[in-house]
PDB file of all heavy atoms in Angstrom:
ATOM      1  N   ALA A  71      52.427 -23.533 -17.972  1.00  0.00           N
ATOM      2  CA  ALA A  71      51.189 -23.515 -18.870  1.00  0.00           C
ATOM      3  C   ALA A  71      50.232 -24.533 -18.295  1.00  0.00           C
ATOM      4  O   ALA A  71      50.547 -25.613 -17.716  1.00  0.00           O
ATOM      5  CB  ALA A  71      51.608 -23.904 -20.255  1.00  0.00           C
ATOM      6  N   ILE A  72      48.895 -24.282 -18.553  1.00  0.00           N
ATOM      7  CA  ILE A  72      47.894 -25.199 -18.036  1.00  0.00           C
ATOM      8  C   ILE A  72      47.580 -26.275 -18.969  1.00  0.00           C
ATOM      9  O   ILE A  72      47.443 -27.339 -18.797  1.00  0.00           O
ATOM     10  CB  ILE A  72      46.596 -24.315 -17.650  1.00  0.00           C
ATOM     11  CG1 ILE A  72      46.918 -23.450 -16.439  1.00  0.00           C
ATOM     12  CG2 ILE A  72      45.424 -25.234 -17.399  1.00  0.00           C
ATOM     13  CD1 ILE A  72      45.743 -22.483 -16.029  1.00  0.00           C
ATOM     14  N   PHE A  73      47.414 -25.762 -20.313  1.00  0.00           N
ATOM     15  CA  PHE A  73      46.991 -26.757 -21.408  1.00  0.00           C
ATOM     16  C   PHE A  73      48.172 -27.187 -22.199  1.00  0.00           C
ATOM     17  O   PHE A  73      48.115 -28.330 -22.777  1.00  0.00           O
ATOM     18  CB  PHE A  73      45.902 -26.011 -22.262  1.00  0.00           C
ATOM     19  CG  PHE A  73      44.715 -25.675 -21.400  1.00  0.00           C
ATOM     20  CD1 PHE A  73      44.518 -24.368 -21.154  1.00  0.00           C
ATOM     21  CD2 PHE A  73      43.691 -26.715 -21.214  1.00  0.00           C
ATOM     22  CE1 PHE A  73      43.298 -24.055 -20.370  1.00  0.00           C
ATOM     23  CE2 PHE A  73      42.474 -26.269 -20.484  1.00  0.00           C
ATOM     24  CZ  PHE A  73      42.334 -24.970 -20.093  1.00  0.00           C
ATOM     25  N   LYS A  74      49.056 -26.281 -22.562  1.00  0.00           N
ATOM     26  CA  LYS A  74      50.154 -26.673 -23.495  1.00  0.00           C
ATOM     27  C   LYS A  74      51.010 -27.772 -23.072  1.00  0.00           C
ATOM     28  O   LYS A  74      51.292 -27.978 -21.863  1.00  0.00           O
ATOM     29  CB  LYS A  74      51.074 -25.447 -23.579  1.00  0.00           C
ATOM     30  CG  LYS A  74      52.067 -25.516 -24.663  1.00  0.00           C
ATOM     31  CD  LYS A  74      53.069 -24.353 -24.743  1.00  0.00           C
ATOM     32  CE  LYS A  74      54.114 -24.484 -25.783  1.00  0.00           C
ATOM     33  NZ  LYS A  74      54.982 -23.289 -25.929  1.00  0.00           N
ATOM     34  N   GLY A  75      51.237 -28.771 -23.923  1.00  0.00           N
ATOM     35  CA  GLY A  75      52.044 -29.893 -23.628  1.00  0.00           C
ATOM     36  C   GLY A  75      51.385 -30.929 -22.660  1.00  0.00           C
ATOM     37  O   GLY A  75      52.000 -31.744 -22.093  1.00  0.00           O
ATOM     38  N   GLY A  76      50.114 -30.898 -22.659  1.00  0.00           N
ATOM     39  CA  GLY A  76      49.369 -31.891 -21.836  1.00  0.00           C
ATOM     40  C   GLY A  76      49.382 -31.620 -20.427  1.00  0.00           C
ATOM     41  O   GLY A  76      49.209 -32.547 -19.556  1.00  0.00           O
ATOM     42  N   LYS A  77      49.672 -30.439 -20.010  1.00  0.00           N
ATOM     43  CA  LYS A  77      49.720 -30.029 -18.527  1.00  0.00           C
ATOM     44  C   LYS A  77      48.373 -30.357 -17.935  1.00  0.00           C
ATOM     45  O   LYS A  77      47.355 -30.161 -18.496  1.00  0.00           O
ATOM     46  CB  LYS A  77      50.014 -28.544 -18.384  1.00  0.00           C
ATOM     47  CG  LYS A  77      51.533 -28.195 -18.765  1.00  0.00           C
ATOM     48  CD  LYS A  77      52.511 -28.934 -17.759  1.00  0.00           C
ATOM     49  CE  LYS A  77      53.915 -28.527 -18.254  1.00  0.00           C
ATOM     50  NZ  LYS A  77      54.827 -29.113 -17.235  1.00  0.00           N
ATOM     51  N   LEU A  78      48.379 -30.801 -16.702  1.00  0.00           N
ATOM     52  CA  LEU A  78      47.280 -31.195 -15.875  1.00  0.00           C
ATOM     53  C   LEU A  78      46.476 -32.248 -16.552  1.00  0.00           C
ATOM     54  O   LEU A  78      45.201 -32.401 -16.261  1.00  0.00           O
ATOM     55  CB  LEU A  78      46.347 -29.875 -15.495  1.00  0.00           C
ATOM     56  CG  LEU A  78      47.079 -28.841 -14.942  1.00  0.00           C
ATOM     57  CD1 LEU A  78      46.076 -27.649 -14.643  1.00  0.00           C
ATOM     58  CD2 LEU A  78      47.629 -29.244 -13.595  1.00  0.00           C
ATOM     59  N   GLY A  79      47.030 -33.060 -17.350  1.00  0.00           N
ATOM     60  CA  GLY A  79      46.304 -34.274 -17.878  1.00  0.00           C
ATOM     61  C   GLY A  79      45.476 -33.931 -19.008  1.00  0.00           C
ATOM     62  O   GLY A  79      44.675 -34.926 -19.461  1.00  0.00           O
ATOM     63  N   PHE A  80      45.391 -32.813 -19.659  1.00  0.00           N
ATOM     64  CA  PHE A  80      44.597 -32.443 -20.730  1.00  0.00           C
ATOM     65  C   PHE A  80      45.111 -33.133 -22.147  1.00  0.00           C
ATOM     66  O   PHE A  80      45.673 -32.532 -22.968  1.00  0.00           O
ATOM     67  CB  PHE A  80      44.414 -31.063 -20.985  1.00  0.00           C
ATOM     68  CG  PHE A  80      43.515 -30.374 -19.953  1.00  0.00           C
ATOM     69  CD1 PHE A  80      44.077 -29.642 -18.904  1.00  0.00           C
ATOM     70  CD2 PHE A  80      42.160 -30.618 -20.004  1.00  0.00           C
ATOM     71  CE1 PHE A  80      43.264 -29.147 -17.946  1.00  0.00           C
ATOM     72  CE2 PHE A  80      41.326 -29.998 -19.062  1.00  0.00           C
ATOM     73  CZ  PHE A  80      41.855 -29.303 -17.973  1.00  0.00           C
ATOM     74  N   LYS A  81      44.905 -34.497 -22.210  1.00  0.00           N
ATOM     75  CA  LYS A  81      45.305 -35.212 -23.439  1.00  0.00           C
ATOM     76  C   LYS A  81      44.598 -36.513 -23.315  1.00  0.00           C
ATOM     77  O   LYS A  81      44.189 -37.016 -22.344  1.00  0.00           O
ATOM     78  CB  LYS A  81      46.849 -35.400 -23.496  1.00  0.00           C
ATOM     79  CG  LYS A  81      47.474 -36.063 -22.191  1.00  0.00           C
ATOM     80  CD  LYS A  81      49.057 -36.018 -22.353  1.00  0.00           C
ATOM     81  CE  LYS A  81      49.593 -36.673 -21.112  1.00  0.00           C
ATOM     82  NZ  LYS A  81      51.085 -36.604 -21.166  1.00  0.00           N
ATOM     83  N   ILE A  82      44.512 -37.171 -24.503  1.00  0.00           N
ATOM     84  CA  ILE A  82      43.843 -38.384 -24.512  1.00  0.00           C
ATOM     85  C   ILE A  82      44.419 -39.581 -23.690  1.00  0.00           C
ATOM     86  O   ILE A  82      43.811 -40.390 -23.000  1.00  0.00           O
ATOM     87  CB  ILE A  82      43.588 -38.935 -26.006  1.00  0.00           C
ATOM     88  CG1 ILE A  82      42.821 -37.900 -26.906  1.00  0.00           C
ATOM     89  CG2 ILE A  82      43.054 -40.303 -26.185  1.00  0.00           C
ATOM     90  CD1 ILE A  82      41.414 -37.712 -26.315  1.00  0.00           C
ATOM     91  N   GLY A  83      45.817 -39.622 -23.721  1.00  0.00           N
ATOM     92  CA  GLY A  83      46.458 -40.703 -23.043  1.00  0.00           C
ATOM     93  C   GLY A  83      46.472 -42.001 -23.867  1.00  0.00           C
ATOM     94  O   GLY A  83      46.324 -41.911 -25.032  1.00  0.00           O
ATOM     95  N   ARG A  84      46.566 -43.088 -23.203  1.00  0.00           N
ATOM     96  CA  ARG A  84      46.630 -44.402 -23.893  1.00  0.00           C
ATOM     97  C   ARG A  84      45.180 -44.830 -24.185  1.00  0.00           C
ATOM     98  O   ARG A  84      44.472 -45.061 -23.190  1.00  0.00           O
ATOM     99  CB  ARG A  84      47.365 -45.405 -22.938  1.00  0.00           C
ATOM    100  CG  ARG A  84      48.762 -45.038 -22.579  1.00  0.00           C
ATOM    101  CD  ARG A  84      49.438 -46.006 -21.663  1.00  0.00           C
ATOM    102  NE  ARG A  84      50.824 -45.596 -21.222  1.00  0.00           N
ATOM    103  CZ  ARG A  84      51.521 -46.331 -20.514  1.00  0.00           C
ATOM    104  NH1 ARG A  84      51.110 -47.420 -19.976  1.00  0.00           N
ATOM    105  NH2 ARG A  84      52.796 -45.881 -20.190  1.00  0.00           N
ATOM    106  N   PRO A  85      44.965 -45.128 -25.434  1.00  0.00           N
ATOM    107  CA  PRO A  85      43.640 -45.477 -25.903  1.00  0.00           C
ATOM    108  C   PRO A  85      43.079 -46.658 -25.171  1.00  0.00           C
ATOM    109  O   PRO A  85      41.901 -46.813 -25.000  1.00  0.00           O
ATOM    110  CB  PRO A  85      43.779 -45.683 -27.400  1.00  0.00           C
ATOM    111  CG  PRO A  85      44.973 -44.822 -27.687  1.00  0.00           C
ATOM    112  CD  PRO A  85      45.887 -44.877 -26.609  1.00  0.00           C
TER     113      PRO A  85
END
Side-chain angles (χ1 to χ4, degrees):
I72 291 175
F73 299 102
K74 186 179 179 181
K77 290 292 185 181
L78 300 182
F80 285 104
K81 54 186 177 182
I82 296 298
R84 299 178 183 178

